[in-house]
Each structure stands twice: as structure tokens, then as C-alpha cells.
Amino acid sequence: MATVRHSKKACAVNPLKMSQPIGGALAFMGLADTMPILHGSQGCTAFGMVLFVRHFKESIPLQTTAMSEVATVLGGFDNVEQAVMNIYSKSRPAIVGMCSTGLTETKGDDVEGYLKLTRQRHPELEDTALIYVSTPDFKGAFQDGWAATVLRILQVLVEKPAAPREPARVAVLPGCHLTVADIEELREILESFGLDPVFVPDLSGSLDGHVPEDFSPTTIGGTRREAIAALGSAGLVLAVGEQMRTAAEWLGQHIDAPVQLFDRLLGLGATDRLMAFLADHSGRPVPTKYRRQRSQLVDAMLDGHFYTGGCKVAIGAEPDLLQGVGQFLAELGCELAAAVTTTDSPVLEHLPTEEVLIGDLEDLEAGAAGCDLLITHAHGRQMAQRLDIPFLRMGLPIFDRLGAAHRLALGYRGSRDFIFEVANALIAHGHEPHPDDWRTSDAPEAGAAAAVA
Amino acid sequence: MSTLSSTVQNVFNEPGCGKNQGKSDKERKKGCTKQLQPGAAAGGCAFDGAKIALQPITDVAHLVHGPIACEGNSWDNRGAKSSGSLLYRTGFTTDINETDVVFGGEKRLYKAIREVIDKYDPPAVFVYQTCIPALTGDDIDAVCKAAREKFGRPVIPINAPGFVGSKNLGNKLAGEALLEHVIGTEEPEVTTPYDINIIGEYNLSGELWQVRPLLDELGIRILACISGDAKYSEVAQSHRARAAMMVCSKAMINVTRKMEERYGIPFFEGSFYGIGDMSESLREIARLLIERGADAELMTRTEALIAREEARAWAAIAPYRASLAGKRVLLVTGGVKSWSVVAALQEIGMEVVGTSTKKSTAEDKQRIKEIMGEEAHMFDELSPREMFRILKDAQADIMLSGGRSQFVALKAKMPWMDVNQEKHHAYAGYVGMVEMVRQLHLALTNPIWGQVRQLAPWESTTLTLDSPVAADAASTAQVEAA
């Protein structure tokens, strides 16, 4: 059991946290033929766009209502209407997804009302879904924006079942800590049990770095609006990450389907639970390839425990990522010496450490001194250099390495690879013994040597 | 807000601005508040611009007063290099919450300044205003003043909240803050007739260091670079320079012109990109310094240095000419780069098929015409779709732009090279030009182009790995190596 403590500082130093609206924007990017917009000043969008471009190394569809000072004071109706119509006339997207920002929340724009009015004034928008989410920058963090947006997407798009129920269809709600590779792995697992998963949202179709034939200003892949609308007939709601609980429960109730939430899918026990559940739900045995992969993971644990046992780790991550990585590392014998996160979550108090701090990378740096391994997003690079400890990049953004979207840390295979990554980082930073390594500081020889030097 | 709006008006009235010179009095009064188009706008905000302009001052603590978005989403994303302090790379923000929005965030800001000074002991703190505290009415001027008096060191308010306008306006508002609170507040220990300022150069990828050794050799001292690799005290003492070179007029013309007005520092606008422009800049620096009291022999030494460096550069470039001459470039950048890079490319015999001028001044455009001729293809607004088409149709062999549009080129399976702020290579001065040519050559001749443009074997029965079409595609990419 961990105590959750909030940092009392007035000044955040080296932020770990990113804002809600861009978490929401990323969720919209997992829908097909969609344009996400931030309702705020131009910079809100520019910063988010640059961040995603650096992480995914892809073109990022993201627009702005370009609120000026005057427009903010007078209210943003004109800008909202113009933004929607400009996007509509340029690219006729299936979905326009709008997130608020701190600026327009402070002013108190009634965006739902604005969108209703925009629709009334422009009947041609009939076939375009307009989805609005409230995501103020001054509250919560990235994963909260993602979670709120997924809930809104479901509330607006999922229709009550008209067709008969399709038991094999599964609505899968992945948290924002899952990468493109994680989603692909989970899809493959579900399909191998004869299930038909629909991911909401699905970044594996839109931000997986493929080369499309044509240029598109909107998303180039992701879950289609019709597929989400048809989720009313799904036989199961499966969510990954505590952040998806509200959305999963809402959907389960709305379509009258059972809900299964996995707080993580990293690690032997966690993946076992997934496999057992799927075997039970589908009535099919666990496929041979997963039996073999499980055995490989067990072997990796045997090989890796020499390195991970007693290893002191400092982690800075959003709650669900922290939960998955932290729990698995503890299962491998690591000690969570410092855990820093961005926002409140029920998972935090269950972490196997004394204290979880809602804070920044300065706090993490203080706790990471003397650790054997640092795990956080790319912004940890300066700290790792200062502390001279091995550094494993996890989360978003990872802007100084390639392939961030394709890093797998889910299921038996992902868990196996994760162990190798951790152990190899520790090995690479290996320390050659030195004659004076075991000399105690109060020994006379050490003092004499220092005096001579 | 009244002081902010008058500062904005003041910046819009800038008489040195090329665009303003073509305007009537009435037009000028209206300012440059061109409304951004909602749903069709791209680029940064005024806060972004202010931060870009000032963050290269390396020993200052840059504290952003606002919600997490403004700093949390953006910190550690620029490549300005430092020869000393690394404090500028630390992200500081008040990360304001709901309570601060309702009750005001001034107390939090004051405490934040104190925490920063206690823990990091910087020579100065720059406090950046952002939209929300500007809207709720946090008076950062007053907080900075109180903190300055209490903590006994400069605490500088930078009033450029995002919603007042574009990135470029933010550059200029940052300059205004320097003029009002920093420049002229300290005196240098010694001055020489060989002291210059370089204004509007940010030392991205270390480009200033490609130029500095040449100035050192000539005995010319950079009193302050504003703001690349600068220390707070250098900027504070910069009013004692004898002459100035303005590198980016779009960003810092107000600083340059007002320093001439207030302190009598004459300036010229020059570029460090391209061999010819580099030599011209060195000559101009020498000329201005001699005018202001430096020994006339400086010009003789400058010419000797130019002759030596040009010969070296041309010799280093010569092996690449064959593979680069005649290659067509689509240039998508703005401001000073739109013409200085064109000149550089033409020096090695490349053809610029088009250049964007969205962020260029009338003067920039005039220069492009001088360099490329009256029929120059200047695009005011080049949509990504249009860029994609030009490349896909092979109307250009390579695109040069900033990082955000790189994927337009790459997805069209065409070479791309970064000429913007995130680039990893430095292209200034004679050595930079050689590096740029080398990088162009590498981009154009990489063997991947032949492979990635091939269809998969199952997509066409006539196309296999060694079909004539594929071989042709491969050979166009394998331009004669140097």
C-alpha cells in the first residue's frame, strides 16, 4: 500500500505532466477520417502538434479555433463555427472532434450550444459527427483528457442495438498508455480466440507509420464511425487501464453487455488472467503459440532475475503506465525507490512502494539519486545524464529515439521483451570493479591515498 | 492589459518594418492584426515566439506562468546550444490549477519565483505571461517588481500571452521586454572598437560557433548575441557595442532599430548562410566597425580571411557539384531563410523550383526576385496537399523545410532536408555551407530511394526486383558519388 502525496511546490520544475486537451486530441486521432480541433489560442494546438510529430514521426492532423484576445472576451461562437465550416469545406471529414482548453474554459464558452447552433445554420453538416469534450488545461492530465474523450465518443456515436447481438464482437477500450504495437498484439490475441475486436480508439491504424497512397489532411486510418455506431450489438466490453473504467461501465450499461477491465496486461500473472478470461469467454482453448510464448516469458524471467533482483528503480509515468510497469518490476524483484505521477487514480495506492508523489521530474530526480535504473519519458534524458544511471524511455513523448509507436509491452511476448530491455539497460551500464571499490572510507589507507593525491 | 496593447501597437508601428514602409498612415494605424483563420491556421502563438526568442539566453531561469499546456507540452524542444550554463533547458512553470483561475495566481507566481531563486540561483528570472492568467488579470509586472525588490535580482516580465497574436509578434514582444528591462542595465568592464552585437541569431545546432572563430581571428568581439548562447549580463551590457548585425529582421528588427536610436549603434542586415552572403556579412561588419573607429587595416585582414575561407569552401564543395548541379529544390521556409538559402543553393548549381514566402517581408520577397529573377515561383500559401502533389509528380527532387512538413515529402517518397529550428546539422558560415552541401548530397543519393519507390512484387507481375523499371528507379538515385 502506498501513500499518495501531492507536491506542495508553487513551481513545477521539468514537467512530467502534459495537458488534458492534447490527450483528448490523441484519442480523436484513433478514429478514421477525423479532424481533431482544440478550441483555444493557436499555440495550444501548435505545441500539441509538435509534440506528437516528434513522438510519432508522422504528419499530425490537428486544428485550432485560433482564439484571439478579443474573440475570447466576446465568446468563441464565430470561431467555432468558422473552424468547423473551414474544415468541412476542405476535407469533408466523418468526424470533427473538439476539445476545450484552459482559455475557453476560463471564459466559459458554451461549446455544446455553439455546435448545436452551427448545425442549425448549416444543414450540410448533417452527415458529419461533431463531438465536443471539456478538457481544461488547468485540471487533470493527459490520460484524463484521453479518458474523457473516449467516453464522449462512445456517448455520441454508439447506437442502441437494432441488429441481433453478435457475441464474438468485443468493444475494446485501450488506455492511452498502450502503443500501436500493444494494440496490434492485443488484437491478435483476441482474434486468435475467434473474437472480433473493435478498438475505440485505434491508433494502430492511424499512427503506425505506414505510407499511404494519397495525402489526407484528416486521419489516415483508425476506427470507422459506423463500426463504433454498431457496437450496440457487441457481446463484451473489454477495457485496459483504470482510466477507462468510467467509459467501459457506461458502455456496458448502455448496450447491456458484460464489462471486463484489466488494470494492466504486462507481466506473467496479468497475461495469464487475460488468457484464462478469454478462454472462458470464448469457450476455446488457449492457442498453442501462446503456451509457447508463456514458456519463453518464464525463461526470460529466469534469465533476467539475476539483474532485476534488488534493482532500485525510479519511475515517472502517468498512473496506468506506472501501475503496469511498477507492478511487473516489483514481480521481478525490483524495488520501486521513487514513483512520481501526474494525476490522481485509484491504482496509485496499490503500488508496491511506500509513497507515490503527484509531482514533476525534479521530484523524481531527487528520489532517483542512488537508483540503478530510471524509467520515464524522453524528458528524463537530462536527469539520467546528470545522475549517470541507465535510462529506459517509456510513455509519451519519446522524441529522441525512433520507433516509439512500435515498442511492445503487452502480453507474454511484450513482457518477455520488456525484461530483456530492462536487463540489457542494466548490463550496458555495467561497472568494472576497481581495486578501491571495497575500501571503507574510514580506513587509514584511503585517507593517506587522498592526501597524496 | 492596457500596457500590453500599447506595446503591441508600438511594435506594429515599427518604422523599420519593410511591410510598414509600403503602408499609408491609416493602414499602419490598423496594425498587423490579421485575423487567423479558425480551422485553417497553423503555427505558434505569441508566447511561443517570445520563448523562442529568449530561451537561448542560457543562464536565465525561464518561468512560464500558466497551466501545464504551455510549458508541459513544449519544453525541451529546441536546439539552441550553450557553451556554459544549461539552466535554460530546465522547464519551470507555475502549472496553475482551478483555484488559481478562480482566485488569481499571483501568490503562486511570487512563491514560484522564490523557489526558483532559492534552488537554482540564476542571475535573472524571466517570467512569461500566458493566456489564462492574462484573462483572469494576474498582474505579472507587479509580481515581478515585488520579487525584484525582495530578492535583489532582475525578475523580468515577458508580456506575450498566446492570444495576442502570432509567433512572430511574440518574437518582437520579447525584444520589447529586453529593451525595457535588460539592455543597458549593466556596464561592461572594458569596451573595444571591435565590439559588435549579433541580433536575431539563436545558435541553433551551434551555428554561431561556426562563425565565431572567424570573428575571433579578426579580433572582433561579440559583445552580445541576442540571444544565441548569451548570458544575461552580456545582453544587459550590449548597448556598448560599436555596430550590429541583424540576422533575422522578422524577429528582432525592433530591438536592432531601437538600439540604433537609443545608443547610436549602426546595423546592417546580413546572413550567415551561403558563401557569398557570409563574405558580404564579414565585410559589412568590418566596414561598420571601421566607420566607428576601428583601424582601417581591419578590412585588409578581413579580405585576406575571406579569400582563404572561400577558396577552402569551394575546394571542399567541388566534389559534390556533379551530383547536385541541376537538381530541383522545393524550399518551404520563411523569413531570412527564404532568400539566404536560395542564394546558397544556387551557388552550387541547384535549381529552386519554388519558395514559400508566407513569413517573408516585402524586402525578403524583393531579394528573392533579385536572386531568382522576376518569374520566381513564390508561394504565399502552399498547402500540404499541394506540396505532396509537386513532389509526387517529381517536379522537385528534394524538399527543404521545417520538421512539421517533413512527412509530406517522405510519404511522397522524396528526399527531405531540415532547414529549420529542430535540425541536427549546423549550416552557418563557410564550414556550414560545406556541411549543407554534404547533407544535400547524402539525402539525394541515399540508396533507399530506388528501393522504396518500387512496388511490392505481388502488386504487379511485370515488376520484380531486377526489372528494367526498378533498375531505372535505382539508377536515378545512385547519382555519381563524390
Side-chain angles (χ1 to χ4, degrees):
Chain A
M1 286 294 276
T3 320
V4 180
R5 195 164 62 84
H6 287 254
S7 171
K8 289 273 177 280
K9 296 188 296 192
C11 180
V13 182
N14 293 337
L16 171 69
K17 184 168 68 168
M18 296 167 302
S19 72
Q20 273 210 82
I22 64 167
L26 185 63
F28 280 124
M29 286 173 212
L31 308 185
D33 205 3
T34 297
M35 179 60 88
I37 317 181
L38 300 189
H39 180 36
S41 75
Q42 191 169 221
C44 306
T45 290
F47 288 144
M49 181 158 8
V50 169
L51 183 116
F52 291 132
V53 165
R54 295 177 86 206
H55 178 83
F56 289 104
K57 317 270 186 264
E58 291 295 319
S59 286
I60 294 298
L62 185 57
Q63 259 304 334
T64 171
T65 55
M67 295 293 286
S68 65
E69 186 178 0
V70 175
T72 304
V73 172
L74 297 181
F77 171 69
D78 288 345
N79 288 56
V80 167
E81 182 187 40
Q82 276 180 45
V84 170
M85 294 320 293
N86 270 331
I87 290 165
Y88 176 80
S89 63
K90 271 197 186 147
S91 50
R92 312 265 149 135
I95 300 168
V96 175
M98 189 175 288
C99 294
S100 69
T101 61
L103 181 66
T104 52
E105 290 279 351
T106 302
K107 163 68 174 96
D109 274 2
D110 170 22
V111 184
E112 289 285 6
Y114 295 169
L115 288 177
K116 217 177 198 173
L117 193 56
T118 302
R119 239 185 220 302
Q120 278 168 16
R121 288 160 53 122
H122 302 279
E124 65 269 34
L125 289 173
E126 194 188 4
D127 295 328
T128 306
L130 305 178
I131 305 175
Y132 169 71
V133 201
S134 164
T135 49
D137 295 296
F138 47 74
K139 252 173 87 175
F142 190 85
Q143 90 164 38
D144 301 305
W146 169 282
T149 302
V150 175
L151 175 65
R152 282 305 292 153
I153 289 170
L154 296 168
Q155 286 175 337
V156 174
L157 295 182
V158 177
E159 290 163 8
K160 284 277 189 188
R165 192 170 292 283
E166 293 180 45
R169 181 166 301 156
V170 184
V172 186
L173 310 180
C176 62
H177 56 308
L178 297 197
T179 64
V180 163
D182 292 334
I183 291 171
E184 280 169 350
E185 182 78 359
L186 183 55
R187 174 182 290 119
E188 204 180 312
I189 291 172
L190 290 165
E191 284 175 352
S192 69
F193 283 91
L195 299 169
D196 169 23
V198 176
F199 284 77
V200 186
D202 185 2
L203 296 179
S204 81
S206 55
L207 288 170
D208 62 334
H210 63 287
V211 182
E213 275 314 301
D214 264 320
F215 179 82
S216 162
T218 57
T219 51
I220 47 164
T223 307
R224 302 212 67 79
R225 183 184 164 183
E226 303 76 46
I228 302 172
L231 279 181
S233 62
L236 172 69
V237 177
L238 192 153
V240 187
E242 179 63 33
Q243 60 184 291
M244 303 318 289
R245 182 178 294 280
T246 311
E249 283 173 353
W250 180 88
L251 183 60
Q253 209 158 37
H254 183 69
I255 66 174
D256 192 23
V259 175
Q260 179 65 32
L261 184 129
F262 292 93
D263 63 356
R264 64 176 163 127
L265 292 176
L266 178 64
L268 182 66
T271 310
D272 279 348
R273 284 191 287 280
L274 173 71
M275 292 291 169
F277 170 79
L278 292 178
D280 183 49
H281 177 80
S282 67
R284 292 194 187 190
V286 174
T288 321
K289 76 168 175 185
Y290 294 116
R291 293 164 196 254
R292 189 161 179 81
Q293 280 184 15
R294 184 181 193 281
S295 176
Q296 289 174 354
L297 169 57
V298 169
D299 192 59
M301 291 170 79
L302 294 168
D303 294 342
H305 86 283
F306 296 109
Y307 304 94
T308 54
C311 169
K312 284 169 75 176
V313 188
I315 312 180
E318 293 232 274
D320 282 332
L321 184 62
L322 177 61
Q323 145 86 358
V325 171
Q327 296 280 8
F328 185 37
L329 286 173
E331 288 166 4
L332 296 171
C334 295
E335 179 195 334
L336 295 195
V340 175
T341 193
T342 58
T343 180
D344 273 311
S345 166
V347 297
L348 299 177
E349 59 187 51
H350 300 297
L351 276 164
T353 181
E354 270 175 33
E355 180 185 274
V356 179
L357 183 67
I358 297 181
D360 55 35
L361 292 181
E362 184 188 53
D363 301 322
L364 186 64
E365 188 162 348
C371 281
D372 304 301
L373 179 67
L374 169 69
I375 300 181
T376 187
H377 55 44
H379 287 300
R381 61 192 181 146
Q382 298 183 46
M383 171 201 315
Q385 208 166 25
R386 281 191 290 265
L387 296 172
D388 190 28
I389 55 175
F391 175 32
L392 195 65
R393 289 163 179 79
M394 294 216 65
L396 190 148
I398 297 176
F399 48 75
D400 57 346
R401 289 291 182 275
L402 293 185
H406 294 290
R407 295 188 56 210
L408 178 64
L410 180 147
Y412 295 130
R413 189 157 50 163
S415 306
R416 179 198 69 192
D417 292 352
F418 180 76
I419 293 174
F420 294 154
E421 259 198 286
V422 168
N424 286 337
L426 293 167
I427 292 167
H429 213 260
H431 172 74
E432 283 292 318
H434 188 266
D436 289 335
D437 274 2
W438 293 277
R439 216 184 282 282
T440 50
S441 59
D442 53 354
E445 290 88 342
V452 171
Chain B
M1 291 306 286
S2 62
T3 54
L4 175 57
S5 54
S6 69
T7 311
V8 170
Q9 200 57 46
N10 176 3
V11 168
F12 284 155
N13 284 340
E14 175 58 50
C17 164
K19 270 193 180 148
N20 265 349
Q21 285 159 6
K23 283 179 180 174
S24 69
D25 276 357
K26 202 175 157 195
E27 276 177 316
R28 203 177 298 183
K29 236 181 201 159
K30 269 208 241 149
C32 319
T33 38
K34 205 178 92 188
Q35 258 330 307
L36 296 164
Q37 239 203 340
C45 59
F47 157 68
D48 191 12
K51 191 86 186 297
I52 288 170
L54 299 181
Q55 193 167 347
I57 304 176
T58 59
D59 55 355
V60 160
H62 299 270
L63 168 59
V64 178
H65 182 43
I68 196 65
C70 308
E71 182 70 352
N73 296 355
S74 74
W75 72 285
D76 193 15
N77 71 355
R78 302 198 188 287
K81 299 293 171 207
S82 168
S83 56
S85 174
L86 293 176
L87 189 61
Y88 72 119
R89 292 186 63 198
T90 301
F92 295 105
T93 174
T94 49
D95 181 13
I96 59 169
N97 58 31
E98 263 180 313
T99 320
D100 302 314
V101 172
V102 177
F103 297 104
E106 291 175 359
K107 280 205 178 110
R108 177 187 286 270
L109 175 59
Y110 183 80
K111 278 189 206 154
I113 295 168
R114 188 173 61 204
E115 284 177 15
V116 169
I117 291 174
D118 283 353
K119 279 190 278 192
Y120 294 88
D121 192 28
V125 181
F126 283 10
V127 173
Y128 296 80
Q129 178 70 301
T130 63
C131 295
I132 297 178
L135 188 65
T136 56
D138 283 4
D139 185 348
I140 68 160
D141 288 21
V143 175
C144 288
K145 186 160 176 279
R148 188 161 56 232
E149 280 159 13
K150 180 78 180 170
F151 308 126
R153 77 182 74 193
V155 181
I156 313 296
I158 314 293
N159 246 315
F163 60 21
V164 297
S166 67
K167 187 150 86 180
N168 180 243
L169 174 62
N171 295 153
K172 295 198 168 68
L173 292 174
E176 290 298 315
L178 292 183
L179 286 163
E180 191 179 340
H181 299 287
V182 184
I183 294 168
T185 57
E186 290 179 22
E187 289 299 328
E189 273 177 29
V190 283
T191 58
T192 78
Y194 298 89
D195 290 350
I196 61 159
N197 290 332
I198 295 178
I199 299 173
E201 158 61 44
Y202 303 135
N203 196 31
L204 298 172
S205 319
E207 286 186 329
L208 181 64
W209 301 334
Q210 294 182 307
V211 175
R212 193 187 275 273
L214 301 177
L215 296 173
D216 286 348
E217 190 182 333
L218 293 172
I220 295 168
R221 175 169 78 157
I222 303 175
L223 191 62
C225 179
I226 301 177
S227 55
D229 193 21
K231 304 213 168 38
Y232 179 78
S233 61
E234 292 170 0
V235 181
Q237 297 165 5
S238 61
H239 62 299
R240 295 301 181 206
R242 295 296 174 93
M245 169 169 167
M246 173 170 68
V247 177
C248 182
S249 64
K250 270 292 262 185
M252 288 271 183
I253 188 165
N254 53 331
V255 175
T256 320
R257 196 192 55 78
K258 284 182 185 167
M259 285 183 80
E260 180 179 46
E261 192 179 285
R262 289 183 195 174
Y263 309 110
I265 304 172
F267 72 90
F268 73 99
E269 180 176 12
S271 163
F272 293 136
Y273 291 132
I275 293 170
D277 284 349
M278 180 64 209
S279 300
E280 214 35 61
S281 294
L282 289 175
R283 281 190 192 102
E284 277 296 305
I285 291 171
R287 191 183 61 76
L288 280 181
L289 286 174
I290 292 167
E291 230 170 58
R292 301 282 328 276
D295 199 307
E297 58 79 45
L298 175 62
M299 192 56 90
T300 322
R301 289 191 292 119
T302 304
E303 287 299 346
L305 178 130
I306 288 171
R308 185 193 76 202
E309 290 296 323
E310 284 199 352
R312 269 189 200 166
W314 285 119
I317 285 169
Y320 299 104
R321 264 184 161 276
S323 69
L324 295 182
K327 286 277 178 293
R328 294 155 302 163
V329 182
L330 178 63
L331 186 60
V332 183
T333 180
V336 63
K337 278 171 287 176
S338 60
W339 53 267
S340 61
V341 175
V342 170
L345 295 171
Q346 288 186 341
E347 276 178 346
I348 48 167
M350 296 181 83
E351 183 193 338
V352 178
V353 294
T355 181
S356 67
T357 49
K358 196 178 168 196
K359 296 186 202 163
S360 301
T361 60
E363 209 171 277
D364 288 334
K365 289 184 190 176
Q366 193 48 45
R367 290 198 194 214
I368 295 169
K369 278 188 190 155
E370 280 165 25
I371 299 166
M372 293 175 62
E374 281 298 321
E375 303 88 81
H377 286 281
M378 287 193 266
F379 304 101
D380 242 347
E381 186 80 65
L382 193 59
S383 74
R385 194 192 289 278
E386 186 58 15
M387 287 179 217
F388 185 83
R389 192 195 59 74
I390 292 173
L391 292 161
K392 192 94 180 169
D393 296 352
Q395 289 172 18
D397 298 300
I398 185 169
M399 180 163 95
L400 271 48
S401 76
R404 273 195 312 179
S405 38
Q406 68 177 288
F407 305 104
V408 174
L410 296 178
K411 298 291 182 189
K413 301 177 185 172
M414 292 301 278
W416 171 81
M417 199 174 98
D418 198 341
V419 288
N420 237 343
Q421 58 186 4
E422 299 99 351
K423 67 180 184 301
H424 296 290
H425 303 281
Y427 296 140
Y430 303 103
V431 285
M433 187 62 202
V434 175
E435 181 61 21
M436 181 165 154
V437 169
R438 201 176 79 84
Q439 291 299 330
L440 277 166
H441 170 81
L442 286 174
L444 279 160
T445 60
N446 193 299
I448 68 153
W449 300 118
Q451 302 166 62
V452 299
R453 288 172 195 154
Q454 276 188 61
L455 293 176
W458 56 85
E459 280 176 11
S460 161
T461 47
T462 58
L463 265 182
T464 60
L465 280 174
D466 41 22
S467 80
V469 180
D472 184 49
S475 75
T476 47
Q478 281 168 3
V479 186
E480 193 183 339

